[in-house]
């Protein structure tokens, strides 16, 4: 997600400009803020009204407009953005950029910019292959300008070849990838478990617990927002799937362990699921009926695999950082400290789940982080805030040990 990133979209004069309202829409769907600059050529293919409507912002066109300069100014226009995107980037605007020509608002804003620039070229195949264009591209690439496409295909001029502007979704993907590369957990793989597990008694009944999945889902969201490629293995939960996270939905502890093991190797594993400690030895295939003697059936339980202990001891494939949770109702710190040692994980996030705390199912959590350095008491805060703080600690630790 582009998360309020400010994008200055420069629309220059190629037929592909007709795709720009769609591009603006797709960038905004990913939560970016988009402001458009339209060249005179661009305005032959797409109207300022269309771009203004989809961007919900003023469209800037004229370098010498007193009002525009007063409100914004070409310097601030480019400096206020997090990224300048030129789409379509015609041979002409690329040439101006390469040679430092500033003769309209778009080219002046580009020259005045101290922000990263991405271009999505669009032109006829002969223009793309022209040595002048190739030299301009090489010059711009050397200066750090990034390129998205162009693609090969049919062109508006009837020819076929390289020069079509990439599709709006591809451009939005590339923009997202650009920002992802700047994130502190870019290149890091993370695994999170969340929710309860359900252990079948028969086709209609099961053993479960009160976990809502709120904390685990929030952790997956926080890691992903910091750039980690995140897999969330979750038992049944009503929480929405976090955006940008690979979801693996399971029911039982055994399925959860399988899913976790097939996600390895990862750099960090945070196991927040409330895994059922036991399962019914043999779940009945048919619904258990009340017997004529009215006696309730006896359930034989067997222990489930311990996912946290297993992942903490997988030898070479062990994540660099394994973090467990400890749901406790009594002697929270002492029990959690013991759990850390017993399971062999690096950190334990201990939380008090006595009913009066409202932790299970609630939005807030009071946790204590137990590491090899001791115990940190965190204030009561939302589960999202706990997740963000934990993710920041992961960044500090993984970047310190890289
Ligand atoms: N856990 C696990 N697999 C299990 C049981 C627990 O991976 N079969 C993980 C949980 O995801 C959590 C940690 O172990 O990260 C501690 O879970 P918790 O329920 O607090 O502890 P238990 O190991 O179940 O011990 P107890 O129920 O005796 O407190």
């Amino acid at each position: 997600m582009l998360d309020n990133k400010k994008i200055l979209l420069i629309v220059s004069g190629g037929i592909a400009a007709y795709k720009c309202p769609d591009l603006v829409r797709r960038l905004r769907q990913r939560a970016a803020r988009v402001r458009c600059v339209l060249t005179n050529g661009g305005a032959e293919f797409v109207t300022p009204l269309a771009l203004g409507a989809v961007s919900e912002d003023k469209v800037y066109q004229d370098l010498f407009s007193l009002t525009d300069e007063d409100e914004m100014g070409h310097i601030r226009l480019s400096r206020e953005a997090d990224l300048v995107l030129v789409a379509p980037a015609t041979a002409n605007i690329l040439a101006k950029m390469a040679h430092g020509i500033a003769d309209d608002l778009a080219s002046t804003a580009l020259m005045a910019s101290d922000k990263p620039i991405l271009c999505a070229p669009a032109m006829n195949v002969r223009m793309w292959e022209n040595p002048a264009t190739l030299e301009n591209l090489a010059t711009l690439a050397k200066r750090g300008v990034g390129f998205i496409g162009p693609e090969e295909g049919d062109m508006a001029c009837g020819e076929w070849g390289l020069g079509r502007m990439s599709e709006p979704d591809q451009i939005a993907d590339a923009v997202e990838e650009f920002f992802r590369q700047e994130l502190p957990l870019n290149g890091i793989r993370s695994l999170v478990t969340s929710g309860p597990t359900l252990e079948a008694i028969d086709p209609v009944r099961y053993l479960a617990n009160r976990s809502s999945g709120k904390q685990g889902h929030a952790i997956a969201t926080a890691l992903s927002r910091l750039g980690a490629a995140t897999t969330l293995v979750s038992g049944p939960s009503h929480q929405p799937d976090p955006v940008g996270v690979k979801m693996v939905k399971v029911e039982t502890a055994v399925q959860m362990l399988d899913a976790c093991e097939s996600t390895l190797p990862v750099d960090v594993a945070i196991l927040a699921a409330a895994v059922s400690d036991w399962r019914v030895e043999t779940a009945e295939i048919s619904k258990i009926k009340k017997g004529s003697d009215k006696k309730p059936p006896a359930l034989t339980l067997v222990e489930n695999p311990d996912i946290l202990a297993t992942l903490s001891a997988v030898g070479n494939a062990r994540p660099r950082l394994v973090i467990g949770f400890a749901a406790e109702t009594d002697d929270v710190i002492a029990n959690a400290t013991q759990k850390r040692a017993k399971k062999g994980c690096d950190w334990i996030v201990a939380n008090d789940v006595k009913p009066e705390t409202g932790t299970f199912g609630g939005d807030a959590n009071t946790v204590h982080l137990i590491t090899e350095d001791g115990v940190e008491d965190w204030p009561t805060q939302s589960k999202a805030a706990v997740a963000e703080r934990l993710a920041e600690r992961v960044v500090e630790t993984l970047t310190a040990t890289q």
Side-chain angles (χ1 to χ4, degrees), residues 271-273 275-277 304-308 324-328 339 343:
L271 306 189
V275 184
S276 174
D277 291 317
N304 265 329
D306 191 312
I307 304 167
L308 179 59
F325 270 69
E328 305 291 345
K339 221 169 248 182
K343 307 231 183 187

Side-chain angles (χ1 to χ4, degrees), residues 37-171:
V37 169
L38 186 58
T39 66
N40 288 342
E44 297 292 328
F45 297 99
V46 63
T47 65
L49 194 62
L51 290 173
V54 284
S55 65
E56 289 185 89
D57 199 350
K58 183 178 164 70
V59 174
Y60 293 81
Q61 285 182 274
D62 189 355
L63 179 60
F64 300 108
S65 150
L66 274 181
T67 355
D68 289 3
E69 275 298 303
D70 201 31
E71 282 171 9
M72 175 51 76
H74 61 276
I75 309 278
R76 257 180 65 210
L77 196 57
S78 62
R79 300 267 174 90
E80 277 193 352
D82 297 304
L83 172 75
V84 182
L85 174 64
V86 189
T90 58
N92 182 50
I93 201 152
L94 291 170
K96 286 193 203 178
M97 287 166 71
H99 294 279
I101 295 170
D103 62 354
D104 63 1
L105 180 61
S107 51
T108 308
L110 278 161
M111 265 200 93
S113 174
D114 56 357
K115 292 293 155 45
I117 301 173
L118 282 181
C119 295
M123 65 195 77
N124 166 273
V125 59
R126 300 276 165 261
M127 292 171 83
W128 175 251
E129 288 168 353
N130 188 296
T133 304
L134 296 179
E135 273 177 37
N136 291 337
L137 292 169
T139 304
L140 293 172
K142 223 171 10 186
R143 291 183 201 150
V145 172
F147 292 95
I148 307 161
E151 314 298 325
E152 205 169 38
D154 290 328
M155 310 203 139
C157 55
E159 288 186 57
W160 193 92
L162 261 182
R164 279 171 64 98
M165 186 174 84
S166 301
E167 290 305 319
D169 239 357
Q170 282 173 286
I171 298 176

Side-chain angles (χ1 to χ4, degrees), residues 350-352 359 364-368 378-381 386:
N351 51 4
D352 189 337
T359 301
N365 207 353
T366 312
V367 306
H368 313 271
W378 289 7
T380 301
Q381 53 197 331
V386 168

